[in-house]
Amino acid sequence: MALQPYNNDSAKALALLPQLTPEERERREKEAEVLDEKLRYIVENVPDRVYHVMGSNAGAGSGEFHTYRASRRREQERQARMEAEFQEAKKLATIQERVSRLAEIDEERTAQRRAKRQKKKAKAASRSKGTSDSGGEAGQDAGAPSSHSPGAAAPGDHAPPNLALD
């Protein structure tokens, strides 16, 4: 069977598919089986080309050692590259996992602090509505010193963990 030129008329080809008769479909399936057998024969029986094969002959020449040494060096370099790539990928995966974990922790803390700020803001808003009616802050003396100074940590505050990447 001769090769036919390729034309990219897929719409035309798709339009012809439903018009195939059962005989035509059967003929095409047989051709596909024949081509599959040919391909299988080629894969199984045609040898791959191998260069610089070391033989088991006892009388190897003096140049064979250098060929062997160069081949061994190339293989060791290939394995070293593969190992270095693996180690680099492993290191990057570890760093990425740690960064994502720290980002998740940071997001949780941000959400907690946001909720605390909103709660404090709502409480202050409700207090301001209450203070405008009564004229002063309920339960707190205006002249009394605050129990919490602006620069000091509150009793419930915790220090953040060490987030530095090693």
Side-chain angles (χ1 to χ4, degrees), residues 52-55 59-70:
H52 301 292
V53 177
M54 298 293 161
S62 61
E64 295 299 319
F65 171 72
H66 302 292
T67 306
Y68 161 74
R69 191 170 63 178

Side-chain angles (χ1 to χ4, degrees), residues 44-57:
E44 292 173 357
N45 296 327
V46 175
D48 291 339
R49 185 87 177 185
V50 180
Y51 296 96
H52 301 292
V53 177
M54 298 293 161
S56 59
N57 237 352

Side-chain angles (χ1 to χ4, degrees):
M1 182 172 156
L3 290 176
Q4 297 179 1
Y6 173 78
N7 67 15
N8 193 8
D9 196 7
S10 59
K12 185 178 175 184
L14 289 175
L16 293 176
L17 279 180
Q19 298 172 359
L20 286 178
T21 62
E23 295 83 14
E24 180 68 19
R25 186 177 300 275
E26 186 176 310
R27 184 183 64 80
R28 288 187 180 191
E29 288 175 355
K30 286 182 182 178
E31 286 178 2
E33 290 174 5
V34 169
L35 288 174
D36 192 38
E37 288 176 12
K38 287 180 182 178
L39 179 64
R40 203 173 308 121
Y41 174 79
I42 291 170
V43 169
E44 292 173 357
N45 296 327
V46 175
D48 291 339
R49 185 87 177 185
V50 180
Y51 296 96
H52 301 292
V53 177
M54 298 293 161
S56 59
N57 237 352
S62 61
E64 295 299 319
F65 171 72
H66 302 292
T67 306
Y68 161 74
R69 191 170 63 178
S71 172
R72 182 171 174 247
R73 179 185 48 80
R74 283 192 303 268
E75 180 63 17
Q76 287 177 342
E77 288 173 355
R78 184 185 72 85
Q79 289 180 353
R81 275 194 316 272
M82 286 173 40
E83 182 65 26
E85 288 171 4
F86 173 74
Q87 293 298 330
E88 184 68 22
K90 188 175 170 183
K91 183 179 175 183
L92 288 174
T94 304
I95 289 172
Q96 184 63 31
E97 186 269 331
R98 186 169 181 176
V99 165
S100 65
R101 186 171 33 93
L102 291 175
E104 185 178 311
I105 291 171
D106 189 35
E107 182 61 36
E108 288 175 8
R109 286 207 178 112
T110 303
Q112 288 174 351
R113 291 175 182 160
R114 183 184 309 116
K116 189 175 179 181
R117 280 193 310 273
Q118 290 172 350
K119 184 178 175 183
K120 188 175 179 181
K121 190 176 184 180
K123 191 174 182 181
S126 67
R127 238 191 243 160
S128 67
K129 288 179 187 176
T131 57
S132 62
D133 295 340
S134 64
E137 258 186 85
Q140 190 173 32
D141 187 26
S146 173
S147 63
H148 177 67
S149 62
D157 287 350
H158 298 288
N162 185 5
L163 299 179
L165 292 174
D166 294 337

